[in-house]
Amino acid sequence: MGDLSNVQELDAAINVDILEDSGTVTFFTGHISNTDSLSLDDTLPLSSQSSSPVLSSLHFDSLDEPIVQREGIKKILVLHRGQILKELISHFCDPSVTQEDICIQVVLPDGRREKAVDDGGVLRDVLSEFWQDFYEQCTMGNNFKVPYLRHDFGQQQWESIGRIIAFGWQKQKYLPIKLAPVILEQAALGCIKSPLVDSFLRYVTESDRMVFESCRSDFQSVDREELLEIMDLHNCRRVPTADNIELLLEELAHQKLIQEPAFVIEQWSTVLSPLRSEMESITAAYENLQPTLRKVIRSIVYPAVMNAQQKNISRYLSSYLRESDTQHLSLFLRFCTGSDLFLRKTISVSFTQLQGIQRRPVAHTCGCYLELPVNYNYPE
């Protein structure tokens, strides 16, 4: 691209149609210099047609410097909705990708590109979809998840996922908070800071957790047959007693959360250990990223002046959020900000006059901007 007289290279570079077929597109965003002698009519069109006529009308000889500067290089990652887990892992298998200035373009299932420019919102949305798919396809556990080994995931794939963790944290302060925190601590810090048994109790099923907590508080009140069945399911090799139950839980927790995913932790460690100082307090980061009603309501900003109708809509929104559980708060944040986690984004609300079948909330995730029609009655 340094020599603009090469018509074929220039034509290929400005052909936006290749986004449909290629996984990665690189284009230049450098400043244009010495353009006083050029009119707007001479601007290169973004067209797949031959650019020879346009080039012939440009007076390159009058320019002292090249039009395109090499510093501003962006890499577009083209991802397909529903295939983001596989495609993002494939892109991040290249270690150099984290050093690039990346923009993301998402293609819909029908082949059309989503009408969005990645100013942060698209990346947050992609990270949310990626980790949701990862939890479902690559982990086991209840409230906290633990990665399990897959025959189609080797060292390269797990290192790639580690780079995605680091990339999400550095770009958007996003962490996969459904992963047991002790796993990320072991990978990034080389040691465990969070209570191991507490993470284990959130990893097991709700019924198992209740039995284990009863054992810790009042061992004699637990149904012994049920306890032995649960311990057998977790491959416990010793008979639990009031004296050894805490030790057994520690051992089971270490086995499930550290030993079994040890290969995954080892691959992630090569990527996350350089970020040790940035990820020093993973537990605090988990707490800050967890959506809560108080955080979400405080993040919403309404116009300074509102009429009676608009005030009613703001109260309706507040009532909806107060009736929402954690899952629906995450969905609300995903709709407004692109992220299913609380990333301290301010959600600015405005009001529209949409009516009939056009009446709907509209969100702009890059600016975290929410448009609400005033023609609603609660609980519509």
Side-chain angles (χ1 to χ4, degrees):
M1 289 297 295
D3 182 7
L4 292 179
S5 63
N6 191 326
V7 175
Q8 292 181 340
E9 286 185 16
L10 180 59
D11 187 52
I14 63 175
N15 184 1
V16 296
D17 291 335
I18 59 178
L19 284 176
E20 299 291 349
D21 303 316
S22 173
T24 303
V25 181
T26 301
F27 66 94
F28 290 83
T29 59
H31 298 292
I32 297 178
S33 59
N34 290 349
T35 57
D36 293 340
S37 62
L38 299 179
S39 69
L40 293 179
D41 294 334
D42 292 329
T43 303
L44 292 176
L46 290 177
S47 170
S48 59
Q49 299 175 356
S50 173
S51 49
S52 300
V54 180
L55 286 172
S56 64
S57 66
L58 290 175
H59 308 291
F60 290 115
D61 295 337
S62 64
L63 302 183
D64 296 329
E65 299 178 10
I67 289 181
V68 179
Q69 298 179 357
R70 292 182 179 271
E71 304 84 75
I73 300 179
K74 275 188 178 291
K75 175 174 284 187
I76 294 183
L77 301 186
V78 181
L79 305 174
H80 294 77
R81 188 68 72 184
Q83 301 295 322
I84 285 177
L85 176 69
K86 178 181 67 176
E87 293 179 350
L88 203 60
I89 290 176
S90 177
H91 283 301
F92 276 81
C93 282
D94 179 6
S96 65
V97 73
T98 56
Q99 308 301 320
E100 304 281 357
D101 187 5
I102 291 175
C103 281
I104 295 177
Q105 176 71 61
V106 179
V107 178
L108 296 170
D110 62 2
R112 293 182 297 111
R113 280 171 282 170
E114 287 189 352
K115 296 180 179 179
V117 177
D118 186 10
D119 193 23
V122 178
L123 173 58
R124 292 191 292 269
D125 181 64
V126 164
L127 288 173
S128 298
E129 180 168 332
F130 173 86
W131 286 111
Q132 186 60 44
D133 290 346
F134 181 82
Y135 298 144
E136 294 176 355
Q137 300 179 35
C138 305
T139 67
M140 298 180 66
N142 191 25
N143 292 329
F144 276 161
K145 307 290 186 180
V146 176
Y148 67 85
L149 297 182
R150 294 175 37 153
H151 71 88
D152 55 342
F153 275 31
Q155 177 181 354
Q156 188 180 42
Q157 284 74 27
W158 288 116
E159 281 187 357
S160 174
I161 295 169
R163 293 188 192 100
I164 295 171
I165 296 174
F167 182 77
W169 174 253
Q170 291 178 312
K171 294 295 185 180
Q172 294 291 333
K173 295 303 177 187
Y174 188 106
L175 282 179
I177 65 172
K178 285 189 177 181
L179 289 179
V182 295
I183 294 177
L184 291 184
E185 288 173 347
Q186 185 66 33
L189 311 179
C191 62
I192 299 171
K193 292 191 172 184
S194 304
L196 192 60
V197 174
D198 289 354
S199 292
F200 178 66
L201 292 179
R202 297 186 64 180
Y203 161 78
V204 299
T205 63
E206 191 69 20
S207 59
D208 288 1
R209 181 188 65 80
M210 294 176 64
V211 172
F212 287 144
E213 288 183 343
S214 297
C215 287
R216 303 177 78 186
S217 59
D218 184 7
F219 186 85
Q220 303 304 324
S221 65
V222 178
D223 185 323
R224 185 172 178 80
E225 184 176 342
E226 182 181 15
L227 175 60
L228 290 175
E229 182 180 354
I230 293 174
M231 299 300 275
D232 183 60
L233 289 174
H234 289 284
N235 299 316
C236 181
R237 301 285 183 173
R238 282 182 285 173
V239 177
T241 66
D243 296 329
N244 69 4
I245 187 64
E246 283 292 342
L247 177 60
L248 291 180
L249 289 177
E250 285 276 356
E251 292 173 350
L252 292 177
H254 195 272
Q255 175 191 345
K256 290 294 183 182
L257 306 183
I258 302 299
Q259 296 178 33
E260 291 185 2
F263 178 77
V264 175
I265 293 174
E266 181 183 356
Q267 310 316 314
W268 288 358
S269 179
T270 61
V271 180
L272 299 180
S273 56
L275 304 178
R276 181 172 302 173
S277 59
E278 298 180 36
M279 304 180 71
E280 187 68 29
S281 182
I282 290 177
T283 304
Y286 269 45
E287 184 177 347
N288 293 334
L289 290 170
Q290 184 66 44
T292 65
L293 173 64
R294 184 181 182 88
K295 292 176 186 176
V296 173
I297 286 184
R298 286 191 168 189
S299 69
I300 299 176
V301 176
Y302 296 97
V305 178
M306 295 188 292
N307 58 36
Q309 196 176 24
Q310 293 169 343
K311 289 179 179 178
N312 282 336
I313 297 300
S314 68
R315 285 194 290 268
Y316 296 161
L317 177 59
S318 179
S319 297
Y320 164 76
L321 293 174
R322 291 182 185 279
E323 295 175 4
S324 299
D325 56 15
T326 302
Q327 179 184 3
H328 283 85
L329 290 176
S330 293
L331 290 172
F332 175 78
L333 288 175
R334 175 87 182 271
F335 181 71
C336 296
T337 70
S339 170
D340 55 352
L341 305 182
F342 183 74
L343 299 181
R344 299 181 181 274
K345 299 294 182 181
T346 298
I347 301 173
S348 301
V349 174
S350 66
F351 299 96
T352 65
Q353 298 293 330
L354 296 177
Q355 299 183 32
I357 61 174
Q358 291 294 320
R359 184 188 63 172
R360 70 202 185 281
V362 177
H364 306 271
T365 57
C366 284
C368 304
Y369 190 71
L370 178 64
E371 299 175 359
L372 294 176
V374 295
N375 302 294
Y376 273 115
N377 291 311
Y378 194 76
E380 289 181 307

PDB file of all heavy atoms in Angstrom, residues 116-143:
ATOM      1  N   ALA A 116     -23.538  -1.943  13.070  1.00  0.00           N
ATOM      2  CA  ALA A 116     -22.878  -1.468  14.286  1.00  0.00           C
ATOM      3  C   ALA A 116     -21.424  -1.155  13.986  1.00  0.00           C
ATOM      4  O   ALA A 116     -20.788  -1.811  13.160  1.00  0.00           O
ATOM      5  CB  ALA A 116     -22.967  -2.517  15.391  1.00  0.00           C
ATOM      6  N   VAL A 117     -20.904  -0.143  14.643  1.00  0.00           N
ATOM      7  CA  VAL A 117     -19.493   0.202  14.585  1.00  0.00           C
ATOM      8  C   VAL A 117     -18.903  -0.091  15.953  1.00  0.00           C
ATOM      9  O   VAL A 117     -19.453   0.336  16.974  1.00  0.00           O
ATOM     10  CB  VAL A 117     -19.292   1.689  14.215  1.00  0.00           C
ATOM     11  CG1 VAL A 117     -17.808   2.043  14.245  1.00  0.00           C
ATOM     12  CG2 VAL A 117     -19.886   1.982  12.848  1.00  0.00           C
ATOM     13  N   ASP A 118     -17.813  -0.823  15.988  1.00  0.00           N
ATOM     14  CA  ASP A 118     -17.252  -1.260  17.269  1.00  0.00           C
ATOM     15  C   ASP A 118     -16.531  -0.113  17.954  1.00  0.00           C
ATOM     16  O   ASP A 118     -15.354   0.148  17.725  1.00  0.00           O
ATOM     17  CB  ASP A 118     -16.291  -2.436  17.048  1.00  0.00           C
ATOM     18  CG  ASP A 118     -15.810  -3.011  18.379  1.00  0.00           C
ATOM     19  OD1 ASP A 118     -16.369  -2.624  19.415  1.00  0.00           O
ATOM     20  OD2 ASP A 118     -14.884  -3.833  18.361  1.00  0.00           O
ATOM     21  N   ASP A 119     -17.259   0.569  18.815  1.00  0.00           N
ATOM     22  CA  ASP A 119     -16.667   1.590  19.666  1.00  0.00           C
ATOM     23  C   ASP A 119     -16.705   1.118  21.125  1.00  0.00           C
ATOM     24  O   ASP A 119     -16.786   1.925  22.041  1.00  0.00           O
ATOM     25  CB  ASP A 119     -17.430   2.910  19.510  1.00  0.00           C
ATOM     26  CG  ASP A 119     -16.672   4.079  20.117  1.00  0.00           C
ATOM     27  OD1 ASP A 119     -15.439   3.979  20.249  1.00  0.00           O
ATOM     28  OD2 ASP A 119     -17.310   5.086  20.492  1.00  0.00           O
ATOM     29  N   GLY A 120     -16.666  -0.187  21.307  1.00  0.00           N
ATOM     30  CA  GLY A 120     -16.706  -0.772  22.638  1.00  0.00           C
ATOM     31  C   GLY A 120     -17.904  -1.670  22.839  1.00  0.00           C
ATOM     32  O   GLY A 120     -17.808  -2.730  23.458  1.00  0.00           O
ATOM     33  N   GLY A 121     -19.059  -1.255  22.332  1.00  0.00           N
ATOM     34  CA  GLY A 121     -20.279  -2.024  22.533  1.00  0.00           C
ATOM     35  C   GLY A 121     -20.258  -3.376  21.849  1.00  0.00           C
ATOM     36  O   GLY A 121     -20.720  -4.372  22.406  1.00  0.00           O
ATOM     37  N   VAL A 122     -19.722  -3.441  20.629  1.00  0.00           N
ATOM     38  CA  VAL A 122     -19.674  -4.708  19.908  1.00  0.00           C
ATOM     39  C   VAL A 122     -18.728  -5.677  20.619  1.00  0.00           C
ATOM     40  O   VAL A 122     -19.037  -6.863  20.774  1.00  0.00           O
ATOM     41  CB  VAL A 122     -19.226  -4.500  18.446  1.00  0.00           C
ATOM     42  CG1 VAL A 122     -19.121  -5.831  17.719  1.00  0.00           C
ATOM     43  CG2 VAL A 122     -20.204  -3.584  17.718  1.00  0.00           C
ATOM     44  N   LEU A 123     -17.593  -5.173  21.080  1.00  0.00           N
ATOM     45  CA  LEU A 123     -16.655  -6.025  21.811  1.00  0.00           C
ATOM     46  C   LEU A 123     -17.289  -6.567  23.083  1.00  0.00           C
ATOM     47  O   LEU A 123     -17.163  -7.765  23.387  1.00  0.00           O
ATOM     48  CB  LEU A 123     -15.387  -5.238  22.149  1.00  0.00           C
ATOM     49  CG  LEU A 123     -14.376  -5.954  23.054  1.00  0.00           C
ATOM     50  CD1 LEU A 123     -13.925  -7.266  22.437  1.00  0.00           C
ATOM     51  CD2 LEU A 123     -13.176  -5.049  23.341  1.00  0.00           C
ATOM     52  N   ARG A 124     -17.989  -5.722  23.828  1.00  0.00           N
ATOM     53  CA  ARG A 124     -18.643  -6.192  25.056  1.00  0.00           C
ATOM     54  C   ARG A 124     -19.690  -7.263  24.738  1.00  0.00           C
ATOM     55  O   ARG A 124     -19.820  -8.257  25.465  1.00  0.00           O
ATOM     56  CB  ARG A 124     -19.286  -5.007  25.784  1.00  0.00           C
ATOM     57  CG  ARG A 124     -18.283  -4.017  26.358  1.00  0.00           C
ATOM     58  CD  ARG A 124     -18.962  -3.028  27.287  1.00  0.00           C
ATOM     59  NE  ARG A 124     -19.855  -2.127  26.596  1.00  0.00           N
ATOM     60  CZ  ARG A 124     -19.503  -0.942  26.094  1.00  0.00           C
ATOM     61  NH1 ARG A 124     -18.233  -0.538  26.185  1.00  0.00           N
ATOM     62  NH2 ARG A 124     -20.386  -0.169  25.501  1.00  0.00           N
ATOM     63  N   ASP A 125     -20.433  -7.063  23.662  1.00  0.00           N
ATOM     64  CA  ASP A 125     -21.455  -8.034  23.271  1.00  0.00           C
ATOM     65  C   ASP A 125     -20.826  -9.362  22.865  1.00  0.00           C
ATOM     66  O   ASP A 125     -21.321 -10.426  23.218  1.00  0.00           O
ATOM     67  CB  ASP A 125     -22.286  -7.458  22.124  1.00  0.00           C
ATOM     68  CG  ASP A 125     -23.388  -8.407  21.680  1.00  0.00           C
ATOM     69  OD1 ASP A 125     -24.295  -8.678  22.490  1.00  0.00           O
ATOM     70  OD2 ASP A 125     -23.330  -8.886  20.540  1.00  0.00           O
ATOM     71  N   VAL A 126     -19.725  -9.296  22.128  1.00  0.00           N
ATOM     72  CA  VAL A 126     -19.037 -10.512  21.692  1.00  0.00           C
ATOM     73  C   VAL A 126     -18.459 -11.262  22.888  1.00  0.00           C
ATOM     74  O   VAL A 126     -18.558 -12.496  22.967  1.00  0.00           O
ATOM     75  CB  VAL A 126     -17.933 -10.157  20.676  1.00  0.00           C
ATOM     76  CG1 VAL A 126     -16.946 -11.312  20.502  1.00  0.00           C
ATOM     77  CG2 VAL A 126     -18.549  -9.802  19.324  1.00  0.00           C
ATOM     78  N   LEU A 127     -17.865 -10.544  23.832  1.00  0.00           N
ATOM     79  CA  LEU A 127     -17.333 -11.198  25.027  1.00  0.00           C
ATOM     80  C   LEU A 127     -18.449 -11.879  25.818  1.00  0.00           C
ATOM     81  O   LEU A 127     -18.273 -12.999  26.320  1.00  0.00           O
ATOM     82  CB  LEU A 127     -16.612 -10.177  25.916  1.00  0.00           C
ATOM     83  CG  LEU A 127     -15.267  -9.655  25.400  1.00  0.00           C
ATOM     84  CD1 LEU A 127     -14.763  -8.524  26.291  1.00  0.00           C
ATOM     85  CD2 LEU A 127     -14.231 -10.774  25.340  1.00  0.00           C
ATOM     86  N   SER A 128     -19.601 -11.217  25.924  1.00  0.00           N
ATOM     87  CA  SER A 128     -20.725 -11.808  26.659  1.00  0.00           C
ATOM     88  C   SER A 128     -21.191 -13.102  26.000  1.00  0.00           C
ATOM     89  O   SER A 128     -21.436 -14.107  26.672  1.00  0.00           O
ATOM     90  CB  SER A 128     -21.880 -10.810  26.745  1.00  0.00           C
ATOM     91  OG  SER A 128     -21.503  -9.647  27.465  1.00  0.00           O
ATOM     92  N   GLU A 129     -21.316 -13.077  24.669  1.00  0.00           N
ATOM     93  CA  GLU A 129     -21.760 -14.289  23.969  1.00  0.00           C
ATOM     94  C   GLU A 129     -20.697 -15.379  24.044  1.00  0.00           C
ATOM     95  O   GLU A 129     -21.026 -16.560  24.221  1.00  0.00           O
ATOM     96  CB  GLU A 129     -22.093 -13.977  22.514  1.00  0.00           C
ATOM     97  CG  GLU A 129     -22.562 -15.200  21.741  1.00  0.00           C
ATOM     98  CD  GLU A 129     -23.171 -14.870  20.387  1.00  0.00           C
ATOM     99  OE1 GLU A 129     -23.718 -13.765  20.231  1.00  0.00           O
ATOM    100  OE2 GLU A 129     -23.084 -15.732  19.481  1.00  0.00           O
ATOM    101  N   PHE A 130     -19.437 -14.987  23.910  1.00  0.00           N
ATOM    102  CA  PHE A 130     -18.361 -15.976  23.962  1.00  0.00           C
ATOM    103  C   PHE A 130     -18.371 -16.728  25.285  1.00  0.00           C
ATOM    104  O   PHE A 130     -18.338 -17.964  25.310  1.00  0.00           O
ATOM    105  CB  PHE A 130     -17.002 -15.291  23.777  1.00  0.00           C
ATOM    106  CG  PHE A 130     -15.827 -16.217  23.986  1.00  0.00           C
ATOM    107  CD1 PHE A 130     -15.345 -16.983  22.941  1.00  0.00           C
ATOM    108  CD2 PHE A 130     -15.219 -16.332  25.223  1.00  0.00           C
ATOM    109  CE1 PHE A 130     -14.276 -17.854  23.115  1.00  0.00           C
ATOM    110  CE2 PHE A 130     -14.149 -17.192  25.419  1.00  0.00           C
ATOM    111  CZ  PHE A 130     -13.671 -17.950  24.364  1.00  0.00           C
ATOM    112  N   TRP A 131     -18.454 -15.997  26.399  1.00  0.00           N
ATOM    113  CA  TRP A 131     -18.365 -16.666  27.694  1.00  0.00           C
ATOM    114  C   TRP A 131     -19.636 -17.436  28.021  1.00  0.00           C
ATOM    115  O   TRP A 131     -19.585 -18.475  28.690  1.00  0.00           O
ATOM    116  CB  TRP A 131     -18.020 -15.655  28.785  1.00  0.00           C
ATOM    117  CG  TRP A 131     -16.581 -15.234  28.695  1.00  0.00           C
ATOM    118  CD1 TRP A 131     -16.082 -14.017  28.327  1.00  0.00           C
ATOM    119  CD2 TRP A 131     -15.439 -16.075  28.937  1.00  0.00           C
ATOM    120  NE1 TRP A 131     -14.707 -14.044  28.317  1.00  0.00           N
ATOM    121  CE2 TRP A 131     -14.290 -15.287  28.689  1.00  0.00           C
ATOM    122  CE3 TRP A 131     -15.280 -17.402  29.319  1.00  0.00           C
ATOM    123  CZ2 TRP A 131     -13.004 -15.802  28.832  1.00  0.00           C
ATOM    124  CZ3 TRP A 131     -14.009 -17.920  29.456  1.00  0.00           C
ATOM    125  CH2 TRP A 131     -12.885 -17.119  29.218  1.00  0.00           C
ATOM    126  N   GLN A 132     -20.771 -16.975  27.549  1.00  0.00           N
ATOM    127  CA  GLN A 132     -21.987 -17.760  27.749  1.00  0.00           C
ATOM    128  C   GLN A 132     -21.881 -19.103  27.035  1.00  0.00           C
ATOM    129  O   GLN A 132     -22.235 -20.156  27.591  1.00  0.00           O
ATOM    130  CB  GLN A 132     -23.204 -16.980  27.233  1.00  0.00           C
ATOM    131  CG  GLN A 132     -24.534 -17.656  27.517  1.00  0.00           C
ATOM    132  CD  GLN A 132     -24.799 -17.858  28.990  1.00  0.00           C
ATOM    133  OE1 GLN A 132     -24.567 -16.959  29.794  1.00  0.00           O
ATOM    134  NE2 GLN A 132     -25.259 -19.040  29.362  1.00  0.00           N
ATOM    135  N   ASP A 133     -21.386 -19.093  25.814  1.00  0.00           N
ATOM    136  CA  ASP A 133     -21.188 -20.340  25.079  1.00  0.00           C
ATOM    137  C   ASP A 133     -20.112 -21.199  25.746  1.00  0.00           C
ATOM    138  O   ASP A 133     -20.221 -22.431  25.790  1.00  0.00           O
ATOM    139  CB  ASP A 133     -20.789 -20.060  23.626  1.00  0.00           C
ATOM    140  CG  ASP A 133     -21.933 -19.476  22.815  1.00  0.00           C
ATOM    141  OD1 ASP A 133     -23.088 -19.543  23.287  1.00  0.00           O
ATOM    142  OD2 ASP A 133     -21.671 -18.936  21.720  1.00  0.00           O
ATOM    143  N   PHE A 134     -19.078 -20.560  26.255  1.00  0.00           N
ATOM    144  CA  PHE A 134     -18.005 -21.303  26.922  1.00  0.00           C
ATOM    145  C   PHE A 134     -18.526 -22.014  28.158  1.00  0.00           C
ATOM    146  O   PHE A 134     -18.206 -23.188  28.394  1.00  0.00           O
ATOM    147  CB  PHE A 134     -16.877 -20.342  27.296  1.00  0.00           C
ATOM    148  CG  PHE A 134     -15.708 -21.011  27.980  1.00  0.00           C
ATOM    149  CD1 PHE A 134     -14.735 -21.657  27.243  1.00  0.00           C
ATOM    150  CD2 PHE A 134     -15.594 -21.001  29.362  1.00  0.00           C
ATOM    151  CE1 PHE A 134     -13.659 -22.282  27.869  1.00  0.00           C
ATOM    152  CE2 PHE A 134     -14.530 -21.624  30.000  1.00  0.00           C
ATOM    153  CZ  PHE A 134     -13.555 -22.270  29.252  1.00  0.00           C
ATOM    154  N   TYR A 135     -19.331 -21.324  28.973  1.00  0.00           N
ATOM    155  CA  TYR A 135     -19.895 -21.967  30.165  1.00  0.00           C
ATOM    156  C   TYR A 135     -20.704 -23.207  29.790  1.00  0.00           C
ATOM    157  O   TYR A 135     -20.648 -24.226  30.473  1.00  0.00           O
ATOM    158  CB  TYR A 135     -20.808 -20.986  30.916  1.00  0.00           C
ATOM    159  CG  TYR A 135     -20.116 -19.745  31.440  1.00  0.00           C
ATOM    160  CD1 TYR A 135     -20.781 -18.515  31.443  1.00  0.00           C
ATOM    161  CD2 TYR A 135     -18.820 -19.785  31.925  1.00  0.00           C
ATOM    162  CE1 TYR A 135     -20.168 -17.367  31.922  1.00  0.00           C
ATOM    163  CE2 TYR A 135     -18.201 -18.634  32.402  1.00  0.00           C
ATOM    164  CZ  TYR A 135     -18.881 -17.427  32.390  1.00  0.00           C
ATOM    165  OH  TYR A 135     -18.274 -16.296  32.856  1.00  0.00           O
ATOM    166  N   GLU A 136     -21.454 -23.096  28.696  1.00  0.00           N
ATOM    167  CA  GLU A 136     -22.350 -24.191  28.316  1.00  0.00           C
ATOM    168  C   GLU A 136     -21.609 -25.359  27.682  1.00  0.00           C
ATOM    169  O   GLU A 136     -22.013 -26.506  27.844  1.00  0.00           O
ATOM    170  CB  GLU A 136     -23.413 -23.667  27.349  1.00  0.00           C
ATOM    171  CG  GLU A 136     -24.374 -22.662  27.971  1.00  0.00           C
ATOM    172  CD  GLU A 136     -25.347 -22.089  26.966  1.00  0.00           C
ATOM    173  OE1 GLU A 136     -25.196 -22.409  25.756  1.00  0.00           O
ATOM    174  OE2 GLU A 136     -26.245 -21.329  27.354  1.00  0.00           O
ATOM    175  N   GLN A 137     -20.528 -25.085  26.963  1.00  0.00           N
ATOM    176  CA  GLN A 137     -19.882 -26.126  26.162  1.00  0.00           C
ATOM    177  C   GLN A 137     -18.559 -26.633  26.734  1.00  0.00           C
ATOM    178  O   GLN A 137     -18.092 -27.699  26.327  1.00  0.00           O
ATOM    179  CB  GLN A 137     -19.631 -25.612  24.742  1.00  0.00           C
ATOM    180  CG  GLN A 137     -20.899 -25.206  24.012  1.00  0.00           C
ATOM    181  CD  GLN A 137     -20.628 -24.682  22.611  1.00  0.00           C
ATOM    182  OE1 GLN A 137     -19.724 -25.158  21.929  1.00  0.00           O
ATOM    183  NE2 GLN A 137     -21.404 -23.697  22.176  1.00  0.00           N
ATOM    184  N   CYS A 138     -17.955 -25.880  27.647  1.00  0.00           N
ATOM    185  CA  CYS A 138     -16.592 -26.229  28.075  1.00  0.00           C
ATOM    186  C   CYS A 138     -16.419 -26.284  29.586  1.00  0.00           C
ATOM    187  O   CYS A 138     -15.283 -26.378  30.064  1.00  0.00           O
ATOM    188  CB  CYS A 138     -15.586 -25.224  27.507  1.00  0.00           C
ATOM    189  SG  CYS A 138     -15.654 -25.021  25.722  1.00  0.00           S
ATOM    190  N   THR A 139     -17.494 -26.191  30.363  1.00  0.00           N
ATOM    191  CA  THR A 139     -17.358 -26.182  31.808  1.00  0.00           C
ATOM    192  C   THR A 139     -18.399 -27.088  32.453  1.00  0.00           C
ATOM    193  O   THR A 139     -19.382 -27.477  31.832  1.00  0.00           O
ATOM    194  CB  THR A 139     -17.525 -24.756  32.397  1.00  0.00           C
ATOM    195  OG1 THR A 139     -18.884 -24.324  32.192  1.00  0.00           O
ATOM    196  CG2 THR A 139     -16.568 -23.773  31.761  1.00  0.00           C
ATOM    197  N   MET A 140     -18.154 -27.375  33.729  1.00  0.00           N
ATOM    198  CA  MET A 140     -19.116 -28.084  34.564  1.00  0.00           C
ATOM    199  C   MET A 140     -19.248 -27.327  35.872  1.00  0.00           C
ATOM    200  O   MET A 140     -18.334 -26.621  36.287  1.00  0.00           O
ATOM    201  CB  MET A 140     -18.652 -29.528  34.819  1.00  0.00           C
ATOM    202  CG  MET A 140     -18.535 -30.375  33.567  1.00  0.00           C
ATOM    203  SD  MET A 140     -17.985 -32.068  33.932  1.00  0.00           S
ATOM    204  CE  MET A 140     -19.404 -32.652  34.861  1.00  0.00           C
ATOM    205  N   GLY A 141     -20.406 -27.492  36.546  1.00  0.00           N
ATOM    206  CA  GLY A 141     -20.591 -26.839  37.830  1.00  0.00           C
ATOM    207  C   GLY A 141     -21.917 -26.109  37.898  1.00  0.00           C
ATOM    208  O   GLY A 141     -22.620 -25.952  36.895  1.00  0.00           O
ATOM    209  N   ASN A 142     -22.237 -25.625  39.083  1.00  0.00           N
ATOM    210  CA  ASN A 142     -23.505 -24.953  39.332  1.00  0.00           C
ATOM    211  C   ASN A 142     -23.332 -23.432  39.234  1.00  0.00           C
ATOM    212  O   ASN A 142     -23.293 -22.880  38.148  1.00  0.00           O
ATOM    213  CB  ASN A 142     -24.054 -25.381  40.699  1.00  0.00           C
ATOM    214  CG  ASN A 142     -25.479 -24.944  40.922  1.00  0.00           C
ATOM    215  OD1 ASN A 142     -26.230 -24.732  39.971  1.00  0.00           O
ATOM    216  ND2 ASN A 142     -25.872 -24.788  42.172  1.00  0.00           N
ATOM    217  N   ASN A 143     -23.220 -22.753  40.368  1.00  0.00           N
ATOM    218  CA  ASN A 143     -23.034 -21.297  40.331  1.00  0.00           C
ATOM    219  C   ASN A 143     -21.633 -20.922  39.859  1.00  0.00           C
ATOM    220  O   ASN A 143     -21.452 -19.936  39.150  1.00  0.00           O
ATOM    221  CB  ASN A 143     -23.309 -20.700  41.710  1.00  0.00           C
ATOM    222  CG  ASN A 143     -24.765 -20.801  42.099  1.00  0.00           C
ATOM    223  OD1 ASN A 143     -25.648 -20.775  41.244  1.00  0.00           O
ATOM    224  ND2 ASN A 143     -25.041 -20.962  43.388  1.00  0.00           N
TER     225      ASN A 143
END
